[in-house]
Amino acid sequence: VQLQASGGGLVQAGGSLTLSCTISGSRVDSWYIGWFRQAPGKEREGVAWITSADNTTGYSDSLKGRFTISVHDVEDIVYLQIKGLKPEDTAVYYCAAANPWTIVQKFETYEYEYWGQGTQVTVSS
């Protein structure tokens, strides 16, 4: 399976963005898809995950409320909408795929086998 993240850019604080993760080589409903982000000098952290098999989602407690993950089953795209962007949201955002039969810790990077290349989000104050 291949994943490609897109939709990042330079945004003013308070603005919104919708990131896209396009899955190819497999169907989106065969995987847990997670969004992660990595700010300069920081570890990669889990933001949200979704399984379209039953449309279940999960969000990081520290980020809940401004992020919305969704899926377009037909086009095999997972979206991450971010509202009320803050400068501390500046990071490279990655999407990744995990085996639904083995995943346990859904916000841990080691659970995800396949990764996209990342898309840069920069929020100006």
Side-chain angles (χ1 to χ4, degrees), residues 72-124:
H72 192 307
D73 282 339
V74 175
E75 296 189 359
D76 293 319
I77 299 175
V78 174
Y79 300 101
L80 182 71
Q81 183 184 42
I82 315 171
K83 297 181 178 179
L85 280 156
K86 304 176 181 181
E88 51 263 43
D89 293 322
T90 295
V92 179
Y93 284 72
Y94 299 89
C95 57
N99 188 328
W101 299 104
T102 60
I103 189 171
V104 176
Q105 301 296 333
K106 299 175 180 66
F107 290 108
E108 296 293 340
T109 58
Y110 62 76
E111 295 275 16
Y112 291 79
E113 301 174 54
Y114 302 98
W115 291 81
Q117 85 288 2
T119 185
Q120 175 72 47
V121 173
T122 303
V123 184
S124 63

mmCIF file of all heavy atoms in Angstrom, residues 72-124:
data_model
loop_
_atom_site.group_PDB
_atom_site.id
_atom_site.type_symbol
_atom_site.label_atom_id
_atom_site.label_comp_id
_atom_site.label_asym_id
_atom_site.label_seq_id
_atom_site.Cartn_x
_atom_site.Cartn_y
_atom_site.Cartn_z
ATOM 1 N N HIS A 72 -13.238 9.084 2.540
ATOM 2 C CA HIS A 72 -14.044 8.941 1.332
ATOM 3 C C HIS A 72 -13.764 7.532 0.819
ATOM 4 O O HIS A 72 -12.736 7.274 0.204
ATOM 5 C CB HIS A 72 -13.634 9.985 0.296
ATOM 6 C CG HIS A 72 -14.589 10.103 -0.846
ATOM 7 N ND1 HIS A 72 -15.000 9.014 -1.597
ATOM 8 C CD2 HIS A 72 -15.227 11.168 -1.363
ATOM 9 C CE1 HIS A 72 -15.827 9.402 -2.521
ATOM 10 N NE2 HIS A 72 -15.985 10.713 -2.411
ATOM 11 N N ASP A 73 -14.693 6.607 1.134
ATOM 12 C CA ASP A 73 -14.462 5.199 0.840
ATOM 13 C C ASP A 73 -14.262 4.927 -0.647
ATOM 14 O O ASP A 73 -13.408 4.126 -1.028
ATOM 15 C CB ASP A 73 -15.637 4.358 1.334
ATOM 16 C CG ASP A 73 -15.585 4.148 2.836
ATOM 17 O OD1 ASP A 73 -14.484 4.300 3.399
ATOM 18 O OD2 ASP A 73 -16.623 3.821 3.425
ATOM 19 N N VAL A 74 -15.022 5.582 -1.465
ATOM 20 C CA VAL A 74 -14.981 5.281 -2.895
ATOM 21 C C VAL A 74 -13.645 5.692 -3.493
ATOM 22 O O VAL A 74 -13.063 4.983 -4.320
ATOM 23 C CB VAL A 74 -16.145 5.966 -3.625
ATOM 24 C CG1 VAL A 74 -16.032 5.750 -5.135
ATOM 25 C CG2 VAL A 74 -17.475 5.450 -3.099
ATOM 26 N N GLU A 75 -13.154 6.862 -3.071
ATOM 27 C CA GLU A 75 -11.915 7.384 -3.652
ATOM 28 C C GLU A 75 -10.688 7.000 -2.832
ATOM 29 O O GLU A 75 -9.576 7.367 -3.190
ATOM 30 C CB GLU A 75 -12.015 8.893 -3.794
ATOM 31 C CG GLU A 75 -13.103 9.317 -4.764
ATOM 32 C CD GLU A 75 -13.064 10.801 -5.069
ATOM 33 O OE1 GLU A 75 -12.196 11.506 -4.515
ATOM 34 O OE2 GLU A 75 -13.912 11.252 -5.855
ATOM 35 N N ASP A 76 -10.878 6.266 -1.696
ATOM 36 C CA ASP A 76 -9.752 5.846 -0.856
ATOM 37 C C ASP A 76 -8.902 7.033 -0.406
ATOM 38 O O ASP A 76 -7.673 7.046 -0.568
ATOM 39 C CB ASP A 76 -8.886 4.813 -1.583
ATOM 40 C CG ASP A 76 -9.612 3.497 -1.797
ATOM 41 O OD1 ASP A 76 -10.313 3.053 -0.866
ATOM 42 O OD2 ASP A 76 -9.478 2.926 -2.903
ATOM 43 N N ILE A 77 -9.557 8.032 0.129
ATOM 44 C CA ILE A 77 -8.884 9.222 0.640
ATOM 45 C C ILE A 77 -9.328 9.434 2.080
ATOM 46 O O ILE A 77 -10.517 9.336 2.390
ATOM 47 C CB ILE A 77 -9.224 10.474 -0.188
ATOM 48 C CG1 ILE A 77 -8.778 10.282 -1.650
ATOM 49 C CG2 ILE A 77 -8.539 11.699 0.402
ATOM 50 C CD1 ILE A 77 -9.185 11.430 -2.552
ATOM 51 N N VAL A 78 -8.364 9.722 2.922
ATOM 52 C CA VAL A 78 -8.651 10.089 4.312
ATOM 53 C C VAL A 78 -8.291 11.561 4.475
ATOM 54 O O VAL A 78 -7.216 11.992 4.065
ATOM 55 C CB VAL A 78 -7.859 9.220 5.291
ATOM 56 C CG1 VAL A 78 -8.057 9.713 6.721
ATOM 57 C CG2 VAL A 78 -8.291 7.760 5.170
ATOM 58 N N TYR A 79 -9.202 12.305 5.082
ATOM 59 C CA TYR A 79 -9.013 13.737 5.261
ATOM 60 C C TYR A 79 -8.728 14.062 6.721
ATOM 61 O O TYR A 79 -9.201 13.383 7.627
ATOM 62 C CB TYR A 79 -10.260 14.497 4.818
ATOM 63 C CG TYR A 79 -10.627 14.280 3.375
ATOM 64 C CD1 TYR A 79 -11.651 13.397 3.026
ATOM 65 C CD2 TYR A 79 -9.967 14.962 2.360
ATOM 66 C CE1 TYR A 79 -11.997 13.193 1.695
ATOM 67 C CE2 TYR A 79 -10.305 14.759 1.035
ATOM 68 C CZ TYR A 79 -11.311 13.880 0.710
ATOM 69 O OH TYR A 79 -11.644 13.687 -0.606
ATOM 70 N N LEU A 80 -7.989 15.129 6.921
ATOM 71 C CA LEU A 80 -7.814 15.691 8.262
ATOM 72 C C LEU A 80 -8.096 17.185 8.155
ATOM 73 O O LEU A 80 -7.327 17.924 7.533
ATOM 74 C CB LEU A 80 -6.402 15.470 8.801
ATOM 75 C CG LEU A 80 -6.178 15.985 10.217
ATOM 76 C CD1 LEU A 80 -6.937 15.102 11.226
ATOM 77 C CD2 LEU A 80 -4.693 16.036 10.571
ATOM 78 N N GLN A 81 -9.214 17.587 8.720
ATOM 79 C CA GLN A 81 -9.569 19.005 8.730
ATOM 80 C C GLN A 81 -9.056 19.621 10.019
ATOM 81 O O GLN A 81 -9.282 19.075 11.107
ATOM 82 C CB GLN A 81 -11.077 19.182 8.607
ATOM 83 C CG GLN A 81 -11.516 20.626 8.526
ATOM 84 C CD GLN A 81 -13.029 20.768 8.497
ATOM 85 O OE1 GLN A 81 -13.754 20.095 9.222
ATOM 86 N NE2 GLN A 81 -13.517 21.640 7.643
ATOM 87 N N ILE A 82 -8.411 20.752 9.901
ATOM 88 C CA ILE A 82 -7.882 21.453 11.058
ATOM 89 C C ILE A 82 -8.461 22.850 11.062
ATOM 90 O O ILE A 82 -8.318 23.604 10.098
ATOM 91 C CB ILE A 82 -6.339 21.554 11.039
ATOM 92 C CG1 ILE A 82 -5.699 20.212 10.667
ATOM 93 C CG2 ILE A 82 -5.829 22.014 12.398
ATOM 94 C CD1 ILE A 82 -4.207 20.300 10.415
ATOM 95 N N LYS A 83 -9.121 23.200 12.151
ATOM 96 C CA LYS A 83 -9.700 24.532 12.297
ATOM 97 C C LYS A 83 -8.969 25.289 13.400
ATOM 98 O O LYS A 83 -8.335 24.696 14.266
ATOM 99 C CB LYS A 83 -11.187 24.419 12.644
ATOM 100 C CG LYS A 83 -12.034 23.761 11.577
ATOM 101 C CD LYS A 83 -13.497 23.707 12.004
ATOM 102 C CE LYS A 83 -14.362 23.083 10.916
ATOM 103 N NZ LYS A 83 -15.788 23.002 11.322
ATOM 104 N N GLY A 84 -9.085 26.610 13.349
ATOM 105 C CA GLY A 84 -8.472 27.424 14.392
ATOM 106 C C GLY A 84 -6.979 27.173 14.527
ATOM 107 O O GLY A 84 -6.468 26.990 15.640
ATOM 108 N N LEU A 85 -6.296 27.170 13.402
ATOM 109 C CA LEU A 85 -4.874 26.851 13.416
ATOM 110 C C LEU A 85 -4.085 27.792 14.306
ATOM 111 O O LEU A 85 -4.369 29.002 14.380
ATOM 112 C CB LEU A 85 -4.328 26.879 11.994
ATOM 113 C CG LEU A 85 -4.617 25.607 11.188
ATOM 114 C CD1 LEU A 85 -4.588 25.883 9.696
ATOM 115 C CD2 LEU A 85 -3.621 24.515 11.550
ATOM 116 N N LYS A 86 -3.108 27.217 15.000
ATOM 117 C CA LYS A 86 -2.237 27.965 15.896
ATOM 118 C C LYS A 86 -0.793 27.796 15.442
ATOM 119 O O LYS A 86 -0.457 26.775 14.807
ATOM 120 C CB LYS A 86 -2.381 27.416 17.320
ATOM 121 C CG LYS A 86 -3.799 27.419 17.863
ATOM 122 C CD LYS A 86 -3.860 26.773 19.232
ATOM 123 C CE LYS A 86 -5.272 26.747 19.768
ATOM 124 N NZ LYS A 86 -5.341 26.130 21.121
ATOM 125 N N PRO A 87 0.074 28.737 15.771
ATOM 126 C CA PRO A 87 1.494 28.574 15.376
ATOM 127 C C PRO A 87 2.084 27.254 15.854
ATOM 128 O O PRO A 87 2.945 26.680 15.169
ATOM 129 C CB PRO A 87 2.155 29.774 16.046
ATOM 130 C CG PRO A 87 1.081 30.813 16.085
ATOM 131 C CD PRO A 87 -0.182 30.053 16.362
ATOM 132 N N GLU A 88 1.629 26.753 16.994
ATOM 133 C CA GLU A 88 2.167 25.477 17.498
ATOM 134 C C GLU A 88 1.684 24.273 16.702
ATOM 135 O O GLU A 88 2.132 23.152 16.952
ATOM 136 C CB GLU A 88 1.831 25.298 18.976
ATOM 137 C CG GLU A 88 0.380 25.488 19.322
ATOM 138 C CD GLU A 88 0.075 26.890 19.842
ATOM 139 O OE1 GLU A 88 0.600 27.865 19.257
ATOM 140 O OE2 GLU A 88 -0.712 26.999 20.811
ATOM 141 N N ASP A 89 0.779 24.479 15.758
ATOM 142 C CA ASP A 89 0.378 23.405 14.851
ATOM 143 C C ASP A 89 1.368 23.246 13.695
ATOM 144 O O ASP A 89 1.242 22.314 12.891
ATOM 145 C CB ASP A 89 -1.014 23.671 14.270
ATOM 146 C CG ASP A 89 -2.110 23.606 15.315
ATOM 147 O OD1 ASP A 89 -2.030 22.739 16.215
ATOM 148 O OD2 ASP A 89 -3.047 24.429 15.240
ATOM 149 N N THR A 90 2.335 24.151 13.614
ATOM 150 C CA THR A 90 3.340 24.055 12.558
ATOM 151 C C THR A 90 4.112 22.749 12.694
ATOM 152 O O THR A 90 4.694 22.463 13.739
ATOM 153 C CB THR A 90 4.298 25.246 12.627
ATOM 154 O OG1 THR A 90 3.567 26.449 12.332
ATOM 155 C CG2 THR A 90 5.436 25.088 11.632
ATOM 156 N N ALA A 91 4.093 21.967 11.629
ATOM 157 C CA ALA A 91 4.706 20.641 11.659
ATOM 158 C C ALA A 91 4.604 20.022 10.272
ATOM 159 O O ALA A 91 3.873 20.522 9.410
ATOM 160 C CB ALA A 91 4.011 19.745 12.670
ATOM 161 N N VAL A 92 5.317 18.934 10.093
ATOM 162 C CA VAL A 92 5.077 18.075 8.940
ATOM 163 C C VAL A 92 4.038 17.052 9.362
ATOM 164 O O VAL A 92 4.177 16.400 10.397
ATOM 165 C CB VAL A 92 6.365 17.368 8.473
ATOM 166 C CG1 VAL A 92 6.069 16.452 7.291
ATOM 167 C CG2 VAL A 92 7.435 18.394 8.097
ATOM 168 N N TYR A 93 2.999 16.956 8.564
ATOM 169 C CA TYR A 93 1.900 16.037 8.866
ATOM 170 C C TYR A 93 2.022 14.800 7.977
ATOM 171 O O TYR A 93 2.184 14.914 6.750
ATOM 172 C CB TYR A 93 0.561 16.727 8.643
ATOM 173 C CG TYR A 93 0.225 17.697 9.752
ATOM 174 C CD1 TYR A 93 0.900 18.909 9.882
ATOM 175 C CD2 TYR A 93 -0.761 17.391 10.695
ATOM 176 C CE1 TYR A 93 0.615 19.786 10.914
ATOM 177 C CE2 TYR A 93 -1.059 18.258 11.729
ATOM 178 C CZ TYR A 93 -0.366 19.459 11.828
ATOM 179 O OH TYR A 93 -0.653 20.329 12.862
ATOM 180 N N TYR A 94 1.939 13.648 8.604
ATOM 181 C CA TYR A 94 2.078 12.373 7.923
ATOM 182 C C TYR A 94 0.813 11.544 8.083
ATOM 183 O O TYR A 94 0.166 11.586 9.127
ATOM 184 C CB TYR A 94 3.228 11.567 8.512
ATOM 185 C CG TYR A 94 4.594 12.196 8.423
ATOM 186 C CD1 TYR A 94 5.062 13.041 9.424
ATOM 187 C CD2 TYR A 94 5.435 11.937 7.339
ATOM 188 C CE1 TYR A 94 6.316 13.621 9.349
ATOM 189 C CE2 TYR A 94 6.694 12.506 7.265
ATOM 190 C CZ TYR A 94 7.120 13.345 8.273
ATOM 191 O OH TYR A 94 8.383 13.908 8.195
ATOM 192 N N CYS A 95 0.512 10.758 7.066
ATOM 193 C CA CYS A 95 -0.506 9.733 7.230
ATOM 194 C C CYS A 95 0.166 8.374 7.135
ATOM 195 O O CYS A 95 1.230 8.227 6.507
ATOM 196 C CB CYS A 95 -1.636 9.862 6.208
ATOM 197 S SG CYS A 95 -1.147 9.810 4.482
ATOM 198 N N ALA A 96 -0.439 7.404 7.783
ATOM 199 C CA ALA A 96 0.167 6.080 7.865
ATOM 200 C C ALA A 96 -0.930 5.028 7.961
ATOM 201 O O ALA A 96 -2.058 5.321 8.365
ATOM 202 C CB ALA A 96 1.088 6.002 9.072
ATOM 203 N N ALA A 97 -0.567 3.798 7.601
ATOM 204 C CA ALA A 97 -1.528 2.693 7.600
ATOM 205 C C ALA A 97 -1.058 1.592 8.546
ATOM 206 O O ALA A 97 0.129 1.242 8.569
ATOM 207 C CB ALA A 97 -1.683 2.133 6.188
ATOM 208 N N ALA A 98 -2.005 1.071 9.305
ATOM 209 C CA ALA A 98 -1.719 0.002 10.260
ATOM 210 C C ALA A 98 -2.638 -1.181 10.014
ATOM 211 O O ALA A 98 -3.788 -1.017 9.592
ATOM 212 C CB ALA A 98 -1.891 0.510 11.684
ATOM 213 N N ASN A 99 -2.129 -2.360 10.318
ATOM 214 C CA ASN A 99 -2.890 -3.594 10.169
ATOM 215 C C ASN A 99 -4.020 -3.627 11.192
ATOM 216 O O ASN A 99 -3.765 -3.566 12.401
ATOM 217 C CB ASN A 99 -1.951 -4.782 10.373
ATOM 218 C CG ASN A 99 -2.610 -6.111 10.040
ATOM 219 O OD1 ASN A 99 -3.814 -6.286 10.216
ATOM 220 N ND2 ASN A 99 -1.832 -7.047 9.574
ATOM 221 N N PRO A 100 -5.258 -3.709 10.753
ATOM 222 C CA PRO A 100 -6.369 -3.678 11.706
ATOM 223 C C PRO A 100 -6.435 -4.907 12.601
ATOM 224 O O PRO A 100 -7.092 -4.879 13.645
ATOM 225 C CB PRO A 100 -7.601 -3.597 10.800
ATOM 226 C CG PRO A 100 -7.162 -4.210 9.520
ATOM 227 C CD PRO A 100 -5.727 -3.835 9.375
ATOM 228 N N TRP A 101 -5.762 -5.996 12.216
ATOM 229 C CA TRP A 101 -5.807 -7.219 13.012
ATOM 230 C C TRP A 101 -4.793 -7.217 14.143
ATOM 231 O O TRP A 101 -4.905 -8.036 15.064
ATOM 232 C CB TRP A 101 -5.563 -8.424 12.109
ATOM 233 C CG TRP A 101 -6.599 -8.553 11.044
ATOM 234 C CD1 TRP A 101 -6.468 -8.243 9.724
ATOM 235 C CD2 TRP A 101 -7.960 -8.992 11.207
ATOM 236 N NE1 TRP A 101 -7.647 -8.464 9.056
ATOM 237 C CE2 TRP A 101 -8.571 -8.934 9.941
ATOM 238 C CE3 TRP A 101 -8.706 -9.445 12.301
ATOM 239 C CZ2 TRP A 101 -9.895 -9.300 9.744
ATOM 240 C CZ3 TRP A 101 -10.025 -9.819 12.101
ATOM 241 C CH2 TRP A 101 -10.603 -9.737 10.832
ATOM 242 N N THR A 102 -3.805 -6.317 14.062
ATOM 243 C CA THR A 102 -2.745 -6.338 15.066
ATOM 244 C C THR A 102 -2.598 -5.044 15.845
ATOM 245 O O THR A 102 -1.966 -5.040 16.900
ATOM 246 C CB THR A 102 -1.385 -6.659 14.408
ATOM 247 O OG1 THR A 102 -1.082 -5.646 13.436
ATOM 248 C CG2 THR A 102 -1.417 -8.024 13.724
ATOM 249 N N ILE A 103 -3.185 -3.963 15.368
ATOM 250 C CA ILE A 103 -2.964 -2.680 16.025
ATOM 251 C C ILE A 103 -3.568 -2.673 17.425
ATOM 252 O O ILE A 103 -4.666 -3.176 17.660
ATOM 253 C CB ILE A 103 -3.535 -1.517 15.171
ATOM 254 C CG1 ILE A 103 -3.112 -0.171 15.764
ATOM 255 C CG2 ILE A 103 -5.041 -1.630 15.030
ATOM 256 C CD1 ILE A 103 -3.431 1.017 14.879
ATOM 257 N N VAL A 104 -2.815 -2.106 18.351
ATOM 258 C CA VAL A 104 -3.282 -1.983 19.728
ATOM 259 C C VAL A 104 -3.258 -0.509 20.151
ATOM 260 O O VAL A 104 -4.278 0.083 20.487
ATOM 261 C CB VAL A 104 -2.428 -2.834 20.688
ATOM 262 C CG1 VAL A 104 -2.877 -2.623 22.135
ATOM 263 C CG2 VAL A 104 -2.511 -4.315 20.309
ATOM 264 N N GLN A 105 -2.063 0.062 20.123
ATOM 265 C CA GLN A 105 -1.889 1.452 20.542
ATOM 266 C C GLN A 105 -2.009 2.344 19.306
ATOM 267 O O GLN A 105 -1.055 2.511 18.550
ATOM 268 C CB GLN A 105 -0.517 1.631 21.208
ATOM 269 C CG GLN A 105 -0.304 0.763 22.433
ATOM 270 C CD GLN A 105 -1.257 1.105 23.554
ATOM 271 O OE1 GLN A 105 -1.729 2.234 23.655
ATOM 272 N NE2 GLN A 105 -1.550 0.133 24.401
ATOM 273 N N LYS A 106 -3.141 2.929 19.101
ATOM 274 C CA LYS A 106 -3.451 3.556 17.818
ATOM 275 C C LYS A 106 -2.766 4.889 17.598
ATOM 276 O O LYS A 106 -2.826 5.432 16.497
ATOM 277 C CB LYS A 106 -4.965 3.684 17.666
ATOM 278 C CG LYS A 106 -5.665 2.319 17.695
ATOM 279 C CD LYS A 106 -7.148 2.441 17.659
ATOM 280 C CE LYS A 106 -7.841 1.099 17.675
ATOM 281 N NZ LYS A 106 -7.643 0.373 18.935
ATOM 282 N N PHE A 107 -2.119 5.447 18.625
ATOM 283 C CA PHE A 107 -1.398 6.706 18.471
ATOM 284 C C PHE A 107 0.113 6.507 18.476
ATOM 285 O O PHE A 107 0.858 7.476 18.486
ATOM 286 C CB PHE A 107 -1.792 7.693 19.574
ATOM 287 C CG PHE A 107 -3.189 8.202 19.445
ATOM 288 C CD1 PHE A 107 -4.169 7.786 20.334
ATOM 289 C CD2 PHE A 107 -3.538 9.077 18.437
ATOM 290 C CE1 PHE A 107 -5.470 8.244 20.217
ATOM 291 C CE2 PHE A 107 -4.839 9.545 18.310
ATOM 292 C CZ PHE A 107 -5.806 9.126 19.204
ATOM 293 N N GLU A 108 0.555 5.243 18.474
ATOM 294 C CA GLU A 108 1.983 4.963 18.499
ATOM 295 C C GLU A 108 2.501 4.723 17.094
ATOM 296 O O GLU A 108 1.936 3.941 16.332
ATOM 297 C CB GLU A 108 2.269 3.744 19.382
ATOM 298 C CG GLU A 108 1.931 3.938 20.851
ATOM 299 C CD GLU A 108 2.813 4.959 21.531
ATOM 300 O OE1 GLU A 108 3.914 5.246 20.995
ATOM 301 O OE2 GLU A 108 2.424 5.471 22.594
ATOM 302 N N THR A 109 3.615 5.366 16.770
ATOM 303 C CA THR A 109 4.150 5.257 15.409
ATOM 304 C C THR A 109 4.557 3.828 15.074
ATOM 305 O O THR A 109 4.446 3.412 13.919
ATOM 306 C CB THR A 109 5.354 6.187 15.217
ATOM 307 O OG1 THR A 109 6.357 5.862 16.189
ATOM 308 C CG2 THR A 109 4.964 7.646 15.380
ATOM 309 N N TYR A 110 4.993 3.057 16.050
ATOM 310 C CA TYR A 110 5.497 1.711 15.755
ATOM 311 C C TYR A 110 4.390 0.768 15.304
ATOM 312 O O TYR A 110 4.654 -0.306 14.762
ATOM 313 C CB TYR A 110 6.250 1.121 16.950
ATOM 314 C CG TYR A 110 5.426 0.939 18.210
ATOM 315 C CD1 TYR A 110 4.520 -0.103 18.337
ATOM 316 C CD2 TYR A 110 5.571 1.802 19.292
ATOM 317 C CE1 TYR A 110 3.764 -0.273 19.489
ATOM 318 C CE2 TYR A 110 4.830 1.641 20.449
ATOM 319 C CZ TYR A 110 3.924 0.610 20.539
ATOM 320 O OH TYR A 110 3.175 0.447 21.676
ATOM 321 N N GLU A 111 3.144 1.159 15.522
ATOM 322 C CA GLU A 111 2.024 0.332 15.097
ATOM 323 C C GLU A 111 1.747 0.440 13.594
ATOM 324 O O GLU A 111 1.037 -0.383 13.035
ATOM 325 C CB GLU A 111 0.760 0.733 15.864
ATOM 326 C CG GLU A 111 0.822 0.468 17.361
ATOM 327 C CD GLU A 111 0.422 -0.949 17.723
ATOM 328 O OE1 GLU A 111 0.397 -1.811 16.829
ATOM 329 O OE2 GLU A 111 0.129 -1.208 18.899
ATOM 330 N N TYR A 112 2.286 1.451 12.965
ATOM 331 C CA TYR A 112 1.948 1.752 11.573
ATOM 332 C C TYR A 112 3.070 1.288 10.647
ATOM 333 O O TYR A 112 4.219 1.678 10.810
ATOM 334 C CB TYR A 112 1.670 3.243 11.407
ATOM 335 C CG TYR A 112 0.388 3.647 12.099
ATOM 336 C CD1 TYR A 112 0.348 3.839 13.484
ATOM 337 C CD2 TYR A 112 -0.791 3.791 11.379
ATOM 338 C CE1 TYR A 112 -0.845 4.160 14.128
ATOM 339 C CE2 TYR A 112 -1.983 4.124 12.012
ATOM 340 C CZ TYR A 112 -2.000 4.299 13.390
ATOM 341 O OH TYR A 112 -3.173 4.614 14.017
ATOM 342 N N GLU A 113 2.699 0.472 9.666
ATOM 343 C CA GLU A 113 3.678 -0.150 8.784
ATOM 344 C C GLU A 113 4.046 0.714 7.586
ATOM 345 O O GLU A 113 5.174 0.643 7.098
ATOM 346 C CB GLU A 113 3.116 -1.471 8.253
ATOM 347 C CG GLU A 113 2.746 -2.486 9.324
ATOM 348 C CD GLU A 113 2.075 -3.700 8.716
ATOM 349 O OE1 GLU A 113 2.649 -4.307 7.793
ATOM 350 O OE2 GLU A 113 0.958 -4.032 9.158
ATOM 351 N N TYR A 114 3.088 1.452 7.080
ATOM 352 C CA TYR A 114 3.292 2.195 5.838
ATOM 353 C C TYR A 114 3.055 3.672 6.091
ATOM 354 O O TYR A 114 2.081 4.049 6.756
ATOM 355 C CB TYR A 114 2.338 1.678 4.751
ATOM 356 C CG TYR A 114 2.499 0.207 4.475
ATOM 357 C CD1 TYR A 114 1.644 -0.733 5.046
ATOM 358 C CD2 TYR A 114 3.523 -0.247 3.649
ATOM 359 C CE1 TYR A 114 1.801 -2.081 4.812
ATOM 360 C CE2 TYR A 114 3.686 -1.605 3.399
ATOM 361 C CZ TYR A 114 2.822 -2.509 3.990
ATOM 362 O OH TYR A 114 2.987 -3.844 3.748
ATOM 363 N N TRP A 115 3.938 4.482 5.510
ATOM 364 C CA TRP A 115 3.899 5.924 5.747
ATOM 365 C C TRP A 115 3.931 6.696 4.439
ATOM 366 O O TRP A 115 4.634 6.306 3.496
ATOM 367 C CB TRP A 115 5.100 6.347 6.596
ATOM 368 C CG TRP A 115 5.018 5.850 8.004
ATOM 369 C CD1 TRP A 115 5.335 4.606 8.470
ATOM 370 C CD2 TRP A 115 4.550 6.598 9.130
ATOM 371 N NE1 TRP A 115 5.093 4.530 9.818
ATOM 372 C CE2 TRP A 115 4.620 5.738 10.249
ATOM 373 C CE3 TRP A 115 4.087 7.904 9.306
ATOM 374 C CZ2 TRP A 115 4.239 6.148 11.528
ATOM 375 C CZ3 TRP A 115 3.715 8.308 10.570
ATOM 376 C CH2 TRP A 115 3.792 7.433 11.671
ATOM 377 N N GLY A 116 3.214 7.799 4.431
ATOM 378 C CA GLY A 116 3.324 8.739 3.333
ATOM 379 C C GLY A 116 4.522 9.650 3.554
ATOM 380 O O GLY A 116 5.175 9.608 4.602
ATOM 381 N N GLN A 117 4.772 10.535 2.607
ATOM 382 C CA GLN A 117 5.980 11.365 2.651
ATOM 383 C C GLN A 117 5.826 12.615 3.508
ATOM 384 O O GLN A 117 6.822 13.264 3.797
ATOM 385 C CB GLN A 117 6.394 11.767 1.229
ATOM 386 C CG GLN A 117 5.698 12.999 0.671
ATOM 387 C CD GLN A 117 4.238 12.736 0.316
ATOM 388 O OE1 GLN A 117 3.687 11.662 0.508
ATOM 389 N NE2 GLN A 117 3.600 13.763 -0.213
ATOM 390 N N GLY A 118 4.621 12.944 3.914
ATOM 391 C CA GLY A 118 4.423 14.121 4.746
ATOM 392 C C GLY A 118 4.115 15.369 3.946
ATOM 393 O O GLY A 118 4.538 15.532 2.806
ATOM 394 N N THR A 119 3.361 16.260 4.584
ATOM 395 C CA THR A 119 3.041 17.544 3.979
ATOM 396 C C THR A 119 3.240 18.622 5.041
ATOM 397 O O THR A 119 2.837 18.466 6.190
ATOM 398 C CB THR A 119 1.602 17.549 3.412
ATOM 399 O OG1 THR A 119 1.353 18.772 2.730
ATOM 400 C CG2 THR A 119 0.543 17.333 4.478
ATOM 401 N N GLN A 120 3.908 19.703 4.662
ATOM 402 C CA GLN A 120 4.283 20.751 5.611
ATOM 403 C C GLN A 120 3.110 21.695 5.855
ATOM 404 O O GLN A 120 2.512 22.211 4.901
ATOM 405 C CB GLN A 120 5.471 21.551 5.075
ATOM 406 C CG GLN A 120 5.871 22.739 5.941
ATOM 407 C CD GLN A 120 6.534 22.327 7.243
ATOM 408 O OE1 GLN A 120 7.432 21.479 7.252
ATOM 409 N NE2 GLN A 120 6.105 22.914 8.347
ATOM 410 N N VAL A 121 2.825 21.916 7.122
ATOM 411 C CA VAL A 121 1.854 22.932 7.527
ATOM 412 C C VAL A 121 2.595 23.981 8.338
ATOM 413 O O VAL A 121 3.255 23.656 9.332
ATOM 414 C CB VAL A 121 0.704 22.326 8.365
ATOM 415 C CG1 VAL A 121 -0.195 23.423 8.924
ATOM 416 C CG2 VAL A 121 -0.104 21.350 7.526
ATOM 417 N N THR A 122 2.508 25.217 7.911
ATOM 418 C CA THR A 122 3.159 26.320 8.603
ATOM 419 C C THR A 122 2.105 27.359 8.948
ATOM 420 O O THR A 122 1.370 27.818 8.071
ATOM 421 C CB THR A 122 4.249 26.956 7.739
ATOM 422 O OG1 THR A 122 5.203 25.955 7.367
ATOM 423 C CG2 THR A 122 4.965 28.062 8.508
ATOM 424 N N VAL A 123 2.029 27.691 10.230
ATOM 425 C CA VAL A 123 1.020 28.643 10.695
ATOM 426 C C VAL A 123 1.728 29.902 11.167
ATOM 427 O O VAL A 123 2.576 29.857 12.064
ATOM 428 C CB VAL A 123 0.177 28.052 11.834
ATOM 429 C CG1 VAL A 123 -0.930 29.023 12.237
ATOM 430 C CG2 VAL A 123 -0.421 26.706 11.414
ATOM 431 N N SER A 124 1.386 31.007 10.566
ATOM 432 C CA SER A 124 2.003 32.278 10.931
ATOM 433 C C SER A 124 1.129 33.002 11.945
ATOM 434 O O SER A 124 -0.098 32.936 11.900
ATOM 435 C CB SER A 124 2.193 33.143 9.690
ATOM 436 O OG SER A 124 0.943 33.462 9.112
#
